[in-house]
């Protein structure tokens, strides 16, 4: 499970330090791909395989499944962190997410998300009240 908020910086070569607490779990490899709201998703390889299997069983006749699969897989990049725990984020993904220097890496349960710092601040400011209002609708009887 991925939790928390971390604020690494992107270097001039497009590399980013993974949060130290997750480096061991991701040491064998990961998949970076486009996420919703112009962030990047970072999946451990096994979690990405689980998603692949779920999409494999989805009906190819559904246009939404085809569209989602095309973007998800076409933008995916498999990476292996270096000895310092850095990953290189491909230029096309950096452009998609608007990543420059200051980034935010958040834990999002089964994945990490990488955001441009200012985009994350804007998103969070917009969503905090909605989060408060939706807790009963999303998790009825749990919280």
């Amino acid at each position: 499970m991925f939790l928390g908020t971390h604020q690494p910086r992107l270097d001039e070569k497009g590399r980013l330090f993974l949060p130290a607490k997750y480096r061991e779990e991701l040491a064998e490899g990961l998949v970076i791909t486009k996420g919703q709201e112009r962030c990047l998703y970072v999946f451990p390889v096994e979690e990405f395989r689980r998603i692949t299997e779920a999409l494999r069983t989805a009906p190819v006749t559904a246009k939404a499944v085809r569209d989602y699969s095309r973007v998800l897989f076409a933008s995916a990049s498999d990476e292996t962190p270096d000895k310092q725990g850095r990953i290189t984020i491909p230029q096309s993904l950096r452009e998609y997410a608007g990543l420059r220097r200051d980034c935010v890496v958040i834990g999002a349960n089964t994945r990490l998300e990488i955001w441009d710092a200012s985009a994350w601040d804007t998103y969070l400011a917009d969503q905090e009240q909605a989060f408060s209002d939706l807790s009963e609708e999303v998790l009825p009887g749990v919280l």
Side-chain angles (χ1 to χ4, degrees):
M1 177 174 17
F2 296 103
L3 304 170
T5 302
H6 313 271
Q7 297 177 327
R9 288 200 165 140
L10 201 62
D11 72 13
E12 64 281 346
K13 295 180 181 178
R15 296 177 301 191
L16 184 84
F17 280 100
L18 292 170
K21 66 194 270 183
Y22 301 124
R23 289 181 191 163
E24 187 175 325
E25 184 175 351
L26 298 170
E28 298 303 313
L30 53 92
V31 176
I32 307 170
T33 191
K34 291 178 178 176
Q36 276 66 47
E37 291 84 37
R38 293 267 176 185
C39 73
L40 302 179
Y41 290 168
V42 178
F43 294 102
V45 172
E46 284 305 313
E47 179 63 14
F48 196 75
R49 283 188 183 126
R50 187 189 68 73
I51 292 165
T52 299
E53 285 304 313
L55 285 169
R56 183 175 288 149
T57 62
V60 74
T61 55
K63 184 174 182 337
V65 171
R66 292 191 311 272
D67 292 344
Y68 186 84
S69 293
R70 287 175 182 141
V71 173
L72 182 76
F73 293 112
S75 65
S77 178
D78 55 335
E79 302 290 332
T80 302
D82 67 14
K83 291 179 182 177
Q84 289 80 38
R86 295 176 299 192
I87 55 171
T88 300
I89 301 174
Q91 180 67 30
S92 62
L93 291 176
R94 292 193 313 261
E95 289 172 5
Y96 170 80
L99 302 180
R100 290 170 198 82
R101 181 162 170 77
D102 294 326
C103 297
V104 174
V105 175
I106 66 162
N109 193 3
T110 60
R111 68 180 183 271
L112 293 172
E113 293 182 359
I114 302 172
W115 290 75
D116 169 73
S118 61
W120 172 250
D121 290 343
T122 300
Y123 175 83
L124 193 58
D126 290 346
Q127 294 302 314
E128 283 185 323
Q129 185 59 49
F131 170 79
S132 178
D133 295 342
L134 287 174
S135 63
E136 280 198 32
E137 294 175 33
V138 175
L139 296 168
V142 176
L143 294 175

